[in-house]
Amino acid sequence: MEEKDASGVNEDIERQLKMLNMQIKELMSVYHVVASKSGISDNEFWVWYALLYFEDDLSQQDICEKWSLPKQTVNTIIANLTKRDLVFLKQIPGSRNRKNIHLSEKGRRYGENIVKRVYEAEHNTLSRLTEQERQTCIELIGKYIALLKEEIHEWQERKTK
């Protein structure tokens, strides 16, 4: 039976929500520390991560969509990396102005210096969980995100009426 306080709030859900949000913030803090010790922003860290460990051909738009990063932020980061000869852009055949981002050899070395140990630590961490634990974690986080988006969308829809 769910316990509710005098205002009708479920105390278990309140406690769990606080714990979940603290854990999410703690996880993001782990990545923030790595980025700041490397002298880069959190967003630049995730751009490097995407370029090094996911799909060979990524455009700025792909990074924005897949990594939930603001378009202007990614554009600025890629422009700075291009100026430093860490990445170069290649026109995607058949597109008007869409370009894939490619790492230069210098860029690959630089990015791996930042991201490789984190990726290996993540891999080692997941390998310490059972297959069922990994799958459950992925499924539950995905479900939580989908339901949260749905709740916020519904709230915003009601707000505009």
Side-chain angles (χ1 to χ4, degrees):
M1 176 121 186
E2 296 179 350
E3 289 186 35
K4 294 186 179 183
D5 67 12
S7 66
V9 173
N10 182 316
E11 292 177 6
D12 286 339
I13 290 178
E14 286 288 310
R15 180 182 46 76
Q16 292 164 341
L17 180 59
K18 288 174 186 173
M19 181 61 79
L20 179 61
N21 281 322
M22 286 189 307
Q23 288 175 336
I24 290 168
K25 291 298 289 173
E26 185 177 2
L27 178 60
M28 296 316 298
S29 176
V30 169
Y31 294 104
H32 172 74
V33 167
V34 170
S36 63
K37 284 188 177 187
S38 298
I40 63 173
S41 70
D42 293 11
N43 288 331
E44 185 176 335
F45 172 86
W46 290 113
V47 168
W48 281 112
Y49 195 101
L51 291 173
L52 285 161
Y53 293 107
F54 290 84
E55 300 176 39
D56 291 332
D57 293 327
L58 286 174
S59 68
Q60 292 181 33
Q61 183 178 344
D62 293 331
I63 292 173
C64 294
E65 290 170 3
K66 293 177 182 186
W67 292 89
S68 301
L69 294 172
K71 187 176 183 177
Q72 187 57 48
T73 300
V74 172
N75 290 346
T76 300
I77 290 168
I78 296 302
N80 288 334
L81 298 181
T82 302
K83 287 178 193 168
R84 294 168 49 204
D85 295 323
L86 299 174
V87 301
F88 59 95
L89 304 175
K90 275 190 182 176
Q91 184 76 33
I92 297 173
S95 71
R96 197 172 60 103
N97 61 357
R98 196 167 161 163
K99 298 175 183 170
N100 280 332
I101 306 160
H102 297 275
L103 294 167
S104 66
E105 192 51 45
K106 176 182 169 184
R108 182 167 301 284
R109 284 192 308 273
Y110 179 85
E112 283 179 348
N113 242 1
I114 296 166
V115 179
K116 187 175 185 178
R117 281 171 274 172
V118 174
Y119 186 79
E120 289 169 351
E122 290 171 325
H123 194 276
N124 292 339
T125 300
L126 278 180
S127 72
R128 294 169 68 183
L129 300 174
T130 67
E131 174 62 31
Q132 182 61 47
E133 288 170 329
R134 291 190 300 265
Q135 197 58 42
T136 299
C137 183
I138 291 165
E139 288 171 5
L140 289 176
I141 290 171
K143 183 175 182 177
Y144 179 78
I145 291 167
L147 291 172
L148 181 59
K149 285 179 176 179
E150 183 181 299
E151 286 288 329
I152 290 173
H153 178 75
E154 288 172 8
W155 168 76
Q156 289 173 332
E157 287 293 308
R158 286 190 305 268
K159 186 178 172 185
T160 59
K161 289 183 180 179

